[in-house]
Amino acid sequence: MTKSKLLLAGLLALVLAPVAAFAQALPDLGGKQVVVVTENAYPPLQFIDPKTGKQIGWEYDAMNEIAKRLNFKVEYRNTSWDAMIQAVSDNQYNIGMTGITIKDDRKEKVDFSDPYMRSEQFMLVRGDESRFTDAKTFGAFKDGLIGAQPGTTPFYTAVYSVLDGNEQNPRIKLFETFGATVQALKSGDVDVVLTDGTAGKGYVDASEGKLKLIGGPLGTEDFGFIFPKGSDLVKPVNAAIAALKADGTFDALNKKWFLDYKMGQ
């Protein structure tokens, strides 16, 4: 073996050793039924395939792999974002997933998994937008409207990072779903939707030039799955998340959904 090959073999051994340890350490949940709720409005994390009508996305692939490795059966349900955290808190569902930002105030109602993804927020606008180019110039554009879901990270970012800190600011129009905010943007009812780069790229890729992202990132957020307080699923799911990070599964999902997948094709 050449020196370079020996070095590569050594590095592979170092990488694969903890992966094997993770694989051996994962608990077996004995085929139990786990109800997972989502919104299906956040491509490419989770959404309805416009071609097949099936529920697909990064989070579905990740959750299915977690279920496989922990040996539990997944039953998927759907609800709106504004009902999700309370519904999980009330034990209506075992796990919630919809690109949920880990925040201290939410931890008062639900338990979070370890982060499975970090994302940054951007401004999503129509493809022909030229009246403003970033948060500062939008803030100065007094007629501009932002579409947002109440209680979400984009809502609070709009209030405190783009506008004046007034949560009742009439420049913010509220909608029940993220998809509804994007439809309002397309139809001209609002001028900006704040979204993490993950979802924003999915919408831009599917828009055929009708949407674009502008400006720099407005903040960083970590996504986690949510559970009822005290859930015995948190620890095994965290172990599975660690294993999927260590063995490159999450990296492969990132490539599949953020680089290779094209909405509507």
Side-chain angles (χ1 to χ4, degrees):
M1 270 186 150
T2 65
K3 185 179 291 186
S4 61
K5 288 183 177 179
L6 285 169
L7 177 60
L8 177 60
L11 289 172
L12 284 173
L14 287 172
V15 170
L16 293 176
V19 173
F22 275 123
Q24 294 171 359
L26 292 181
D28 186 331
L29 300 188
K32 69 182 293 183
Q33 189 87 359
V34 174
V35 180
V36 178
V37 66
T38 189
E39 189 184 14
N40 279 339
Y42 210 176
L45 293 187
Q46 21 69 27
F47 60 105
I48 301 297
D49 186 339
K51 293 171 63 178
T52 66
K54 294 182 178 179
Q55 303 178 129
I56 61 172
W58 193 101
E59 286 183 332
Y60 279 111
D61 283 359
M63 184 57 65
N64 289 338
E65 186 63 24
I66 290 170
K68 177 182 175 182
R69 298 197 187 193
L70 296 178
N71 187 24
F72 66 79
K73 297 177 181 178
V74 183
E75 178 184 346
Y76 289 110
R77 302 276 185 85
N78 299 117
T79 192
S80 62
W81 159 251
D82 59 356
M84 186 176 298
I85 291 179
Q86 188 62 53
V88 172
S89 176
D90 292 340
N91 277 288
Q92 294 180 37
Y93 311 104
N94 303 120
I95 300 176
M97 65 175 200
T98 184
I100 304 171
T101 303
I102 299 172
K103 297 180 66 176
D104 287 341
D105 60 335
R106 292 172 181 169
K107 289 180 180 179
E108 296 176 4
K109 285 193 170 184
V110 293
D111 286 339
F112 276 91
S113 71
D114 292 335
Y116 58 83
M117 183 181 294
R118 173 163 289 181
S119 187
E120 295 177 314
Q121 289 189 69
F122 290 86
M123 300 174 72
L124 182 68
V125 300
R126 290 182 290 278
D128 60 356
E129 183 58 73
S130 59
R131 298 168 296 176
F132 50 88
T133 57
D134 56 19
K136 183 177 181 179
T137 53
F138 178 81
F141 176 55
K142 299 302 183 183
D143 294 329
L145 298 176
I146 300 178
Q149 294 170 271
T152 62
T153 297
F155 171 81
Y156 292 113
T157 301
V159 171
Y160 296 103
S161 297
V162 180
L163 299 177
D164 58 2
N166 175 14
E167 294 185 13
Q168 307 302 318
N169 192 311
R171 292 183 62 186
I172 301 179
K173 295 187 69 173
L174 301 179
F175 297 86
E176 288 189 5
T177 68
F178 180 73
T181 68
V182 177
Q183 285 303 119
L185 175 63
K186 290 178 178 178
S187 65
D189 292 331
V190 299
D191 303 292
V192 172
V193 169
L194 298 185
T195 175
D196 73 280
T198 297
K201 184 180 183 301
Y203 277 100
V204 169
D205 288 348
S207 73
E208 298 180 343
K210 295 179 182 177
L211 297 173
K212 64 182 178 181
L213 295 173
I214 63 170
L218 297 174
T220 300
E221 52 188 6
D222 289 325
F223 293 160
F225 302 119
I226 60 172
F227 309 78
K229 296 290 287 184
S231 171
D232 59 4
L233 289 172
V234 177
K235 187 174 181 179
V237 168
N238 281 343
I241 288 172
L244 294 174
K245 287 180 178 178
D247 68 11
T249 299
F250 280 177
D251 289 336
L253 291 184
N254 290 340
K255 181 178 184 299
K256 173 183 177 180
W257 289 107
F258 303 143
L259 296 177
D260 297 339
Y261 183 78
K262 304 299 180 185
M263 287 284 291
Q265 296 181 14

